[in-house]
Amino acid sequence: MSDLHSSTSSDEQLFVLNQLNKVLKFVPNERTFYNSQIKLLDRTYTYIYDRSKCQIELPEIPRENIIISSLLSIRQLIVRIGVFYENDSTIQLFFGSDPANERLFSVFNPSDDLIEAKIIRRGLIQENMSDYDETKSNTTDLAILALDKPMKDLSLNECFDPQFTSFLSNSNHIRINSKLFLISYNGELTDNDDLNPYKYEKGFENVTIDKLNFYHNVNHKSVSIGRLIQESSSYDPYAMHSCSTLRGASGGVLLDSTGRFAGIHVGVANSRKRKQNEFFFNKDTFNKFIPVTSTAFQEFINQSIIQNIDNDELAQKWRCDTK
């Protein structure tokens, strides 16, 4: 999910910036990685469209592998969200299709492919978060949104049948260092300051904005491959992973090596801050996500999702056992 600063004209850009300046802004961090073994930046893999068919090719994974099937099945459920701050009490959200360039999200001339949405709830009830609160290390950065019209090409079951019983069992526990696959949108970097967090990282000495954008297929839905680094715990709802991302990837879906829904990507974990308020990354900085098996995720489903479903059959499919 991205805060949109770009626009189609100077007048529109000024309008958007004026709106943004009315509220407190938080800049989410994302983390890309350098593979020291092959001496290359990690990259993402985009979907390939051939008329009505779609395919994706991943290194060392045959097309008939179950993860390929899962990545293709979940593809159309991943959408890009643009956020406009209208005033100090409301946020305007728009959903876009693939590819979803930031210029698609225009204030003055919104595309017909966009769907407006509003926030129903953010975080857990007991966390009492507003739409603008900055998330803390132990708060749950999840939200439920309501769209003002149905999305194209999505059936009710695709949106509301998570099949929780298939992945909440103990047999589906993901082990440390197991492969994870992140499906998300990476936003285009335009400011060289976005390279500052990597100034102390080996392998990033000659990296440019253009190179990061190219390796991450910006503005297109793509897949990043990484591993589970650290599990969530009773005092920290977030787990850590090494799937490479750029800004805008938050809200992406993580699958495990068998294609099961593993969690929601949130952002970066363990970044450091100098006295001059300068953020930087080190060897302990990874990306983080909320696992679907965590108590925080299951509480959010029971508190927010189920309470907004008026169909008993669908509600039963979403219910989680948090005991």
Side-chain angles (χ1 to χ4, degrees):
M1 184 170 68
S2 302
D3 295 339
L4 301 180
H5 299 271
S6 61
S7 59
T8 57
S9 70
S10 58
D11 289 340
E12 184 173 352
Q13 186 176 35
L14 181 61
F15 175 84
V16 173
L17 290 176
N18 286 338
Q19 299 302 314
L20 287 169
N21 288 333
K22 291 181 181 180
V23 297
L24 187 61
K25 301 183 290 295
F26 305 104
V27 180
N29 281 319
E30 298 287 342
R31 172 76 157 97
T32 188
F33 296 92
Y34 178 81
N35 190 322
S36 59
Q37 293 182 339
I38 61 176
K39 298 182 178 180
L40 286 174
L41 286 172
D42 282 352
R43 56 161 297 183
T44 69
Y45 302 87
T46 190
Y47 289 90
I48 303 169
Y49 299 92
D50 182 13
R51 296 181 182 178
S52 61
K53 296 181 65 176
C54 179
Q55 189 55 261
I56 187 166
E57 296 182 359
L58 302 178
E60 301 179 1
I61 297 179
R63 286 191 175 186
E64 62 272 14
N65 191 284
I66 189 172
I67 185 61
I68 298 293
S69 176
S70 295
L71 290 172
L72 292 173
S73 297
I74 201 172
R75 172 186 58 85
Q76 63 181 356
L77 300 181
I78 310 298
V79 296
R80 191 174 191 185
I81 306 174
V83 182
F84 294 103
Y85 291 91
E86 291 188 297
N87 52 54
D88 58 3
S89 62
T90 62
I91 292 179
Q92 191 173 12
L93 299 167
F94 288 100
F95 283 64
S97 58
D98 186 38
N101 190 287
E102 290 189 358
R103 293 184 179 276
L104 178 72
F105 298 87
S106 169
V107 176
F108 292 141
N109 298 299
S111 167
D112 292 336
D113 293 330
L114 297 181
I115 302 175
E116 192 168 352
K118 64 180 180 180
I119 296 177
I120 295 179
R121 175 170 291 156
R122 183 167 177 239
L124 301 180
I125 293 175
Q126 59 268 33
E127 293 170 345
N128 197 29
M129 294 177 63
S130 76
D131 293 349
Y132 299 96
D133 286 340
E134 184 176 15
T135 56
K136 300 177 182 178
S137 59
N138 60 346
T139 54
T140 308
D141 193 10
L142 291 173
I144 178 173
L145 309 177
L147 279 61
D148 69 350
K149 61 181 179 181
M151 292 190 66
K152 297 178 182 178
D153 303 322
L154 290 183
S155 71
L156 196 63
N157 280 338
E158 285 178 313
C159 294
F160 287 98
D161 188 356
Q163 300 178 3
F164 277 144
T165 55
S166 67
F167 62 74
L168 290 181
S169 65
N170 292 331
S171 61
N172 287 333
H173 176 75
I174 303 175
R175 296 182 179 181
I176 296 296
N177 207 39
S178 296
K179 270 190 177 181
L180 293 173
F181 299 81
L182 171 64
I183 311 97
S184 66
Y185 284 93
N186 290 287
E188 183 176 2
L189 302 181
T190 58
D191 192 335
N192 283 325
D193 287 345
D194 289 320
L195 296 174
N196 289 341
Y198 300 96
K199 64 172 57 178
Y200 306 112
E201 285 284 277
K202 291 182 179 180
F204 286 87
E205 296 84 358
N206 298 315
V207 170
T208 64
I209 292 294
D210 289 341
K211 194 169 186 178
L212 286 178
N213 287 336
F214 176 77
Y215 271 65
H216 290 80
N217 293 288
V218 294
N219 297 325
H220 286 74
K221 194 180 304 179
S222 62
V223 176
S224 176
I225 306 173
R227 296 185 180 276
L228 178 65
I229 303 300
Q230 180 177 300
E231 298 176 307
S232 62
S233 65
S234 58
Y235 59 87
D236 186 354
Y238 299 106
M240 292 196 294
H241 68 87
S242 61
C243 297
S244 189
T245 61
L246 299 181
R247 67 175 182 86
S250 60
V253 171
L254 282 152
L255 303 181
D256 67 12
S257 58
T258 62
R260 294 173 302 206
F261 181 24
I264 301 295
H265 168 70
V266 175
V268 75
N270 293 340
S271 60
R272 297 294 184 261
K273 188 176 182 181
R274 290 186 175 276
K275 292 182 179 179
Q276 299 82 6
N277 288 328
E278 175 191 45
F279 283 92
F280 65 95
F281 301 149
N282 63 15
K283 63 181 180 63
D284 297 319
T285 305
F286 292 94
N287 282 321
K288 64 182 179 180
F289 72 102
I290 300 181
V292 295
T293 54
S294 67
T295 300
F297 184 90
Q298 295 172 36
E299 283 188 4
F300 180 81
I301 294 299
N302 290 331
Q303 292 178 1
S304 302
I305 302 293
I306 292 177
Q307 300 305 315
N308 287 281
I309 297 177
D310 56 8
N311 181 298
D312 290 340
E313 183 179 355
L314 291 176
Q316 184 61 37
K317 293 180 180 180
W318 276 94
R319 283 195 172 88
C320 296
D321 183 6
T322 57
K323 295 180 181 181

